[in-house]
Amino acid sequence: MRKRTAYAFMLGITITTVGAMLWLPKESARLVRARPVEGRHIIEERVEGGGVVGRSGEYTVSSLTGGVVAQVFVSANQKVEAGQALFRLESDAQEQALVSAMRTEAIAAPQVLEVDTQWLADARDDQTRQQTEALQARIAANTVRAMEGGEVLATYIHAGEVLLPGAPALTLAQERQVVRMQVGERESLRLTAGLRARFFRDDELLGEGTVLSVGMPMARQDGVLSVAVELTPDHAIALPTGARLDVEIICRAQQGAMLVPLEALVDESVWLVYGQRAWRTPVRTGLQDALHVAVEGLLEGALVILHPPMDLQEGELVEVSLP
């Protein structure tokens, strides 16, 4: 009797358990996107932006007096030496005045000696000589020369045109090539002279270089503060002056880093998939770039969930979709 009762009891439990398994709903898996942790990589903290190819020591050449341009001796992209003539202004009236003064000196000298005393003749000779020297200096000033050797970047005048006093006539610079760029005030705080940089054009690496200087914040017309940065390439970049390119300045670098996508990071932790379930794991973060962040405490190949749902629970069953 007791055996029958025990058997019936066990049979009832078995039937109840099987019924529960058949009739109760199964736990549904949540679909998540995940990606493996990438190991043994180099990650760099960079400041990126657009740059313009230029020359060091740029300066503008002009004339204090102005006048009609008689002749231009140089053209853009031409190399010049210190003291070389760049352009000349017309000086016909001054030249006529000089010739007249010289004729007056030649004719008046004998007459003066006959009529006046010798000291008066010497005084008149000195006055004429001073006038002649002043006119010669003014005529010489009409030929504008290069202050130092370099390269002509641009010319803004042609023969026969009127050049106003102080107006730019040419732009010169030293031969050393530089790249100039503007960065935000916040980004500039990570930059110092001596940092390494790379130059690109249409995703093609043109060369590498070094940061020469980081300027002070200046307000633009829109009120935003920006900082001028000047870099020098290791080797000349095969682009003309004024050409635009992309610049990457390397602030810091970390070798052999474990990388996870930025989309996986949530408050200094990530969600791992282990045994088809989601588990939240704290991590220590390091350098980051535009796509990844370096972390400590994870194994290479571990699956991290991208954009974890806000209501994801510890131990929740998940189905992984790899990008």
Side-chain angles (χ1 to χ4, degrees), residues 190-207:
R190 297 186 286 162
L191 302 181
T192 58
L195 291 178
R196 297 294 292 168
R198 290 188 285 260
F199 308 108
F200 296 87
R201 181 86 179 262
D202 297 329
D203 296 328
E204 177 186 355
L205 179 63
L206 301 178

Side-chain angles (χ1 to χ4, degrees), residues 13-27:
I13 292 177
T14 303
I15 293 173
T16 303
T17 302
V18 172
M21 294 176 60
L22 293 174
W23 295 103
L24 290 178
K26 294 183 179 180
E27 182 182 6

Side-chain angles (χ1 to χ4, degrees), residues 183-190 217 224-227:
V183 302
E185 181 186 20
R186 193 177 202 180
E187 293 177 319
S188 71
L189 298 177
R190 297 186 286 162
V224 177
L225 292 177
S226 64
V227 175

Side-chain angles (χ1 to χ4, degrees), residues 47-54 178-183 198-201 206 229-231 237 239-249:
V47 171
E48 302 177 356
V52 179
V53 178
V178 295
V179 174
R180 296 182 176 90
M181 65 182 297
Q182 298 283 334
V183 302
R198 290 188 285 260
F199 308 108
F200 296 87
R201 181 86 179 262
L206 301 178
V229 180
E230 189 170 88
L231 309 97
I237 298 173
L239 290 175
T241 300
R244 297 188 174 275
L245 42 66
D246 298 318
V247 182
E248 289 182 355
I249 302 176

Side-chain angles (χ1 to χ4, degrees), residues 81-223:
E81 298 179 356
Q84 181 175 337
L86 302 176
F87 64 93
R88 182 175 64 86
L89 300 177
E90 291 184 359
S91 55
D92 294 341
Q94 296 173 359
E95 290 173 354
Q96 291 296 329
L98 177 58
V99 172
S100 176
M102 294 176 66
R103 287 177 177 174
T104 301
E105 180 181 10
I107 296 172
Q111 295 176 349
V112 168
L113 291 175
E114 293 176 0
V115 177
D116 299 329
T117 61
Q118 184 63 43
W119 69 266
L120 183 58
D122 292 341
R124 290 185 175 179
D125 286 346
D126 290 340
Q127 184 179 9
T128 304
R129 189 179 302 109
Q130 291 174 3
Q131 292 176 348
T132 303
E133 290 175 354
L135 286 170
Q136 288 175 332
R138 291 178 61 185
I139 292 173
N142 285 336
T143 299
V144 179
R145 302 178 181 275
M147 294 186 296
E148 58 184 14
E151 181 181 350
V152 179
L153 299 185
T155 60
Y156 313 114
I157 56 174
H158 298 87
E161 294 181 346
V162 175
L163 178 64
L164 298 177
L170 303 95
T171 298
L172 274 71
Q174 298 174 4
E175 294 186 27
R176 182 164 57 91
Q177 192 180 54
V178 295
V179 174
R180 296 182 176 90
M181 65 182 297
Q182 298 283 334
V183 302
E185 181 186 20
R186 193 177 202 180
E187 293 177 319
S188 71
L189 298 177
R190 297 186 286 162
L191 302 181
T192 58
L195 291 178
R196 297 294 292 168
R198 290 188 285 260
F199 308 108
F200 296 87
R201 181 86 179 262
D202 297 329
D203 296 328
E204 177 186 355
L205 179 63
L206 301 178
E208 299 184 356
T210 305
V211 175
L212 278 180
S213 62
V214 181
M216 299 297 293
M218 301 289 289
R220 301 187 316 202
Q221 292 182 349
D222 56 5

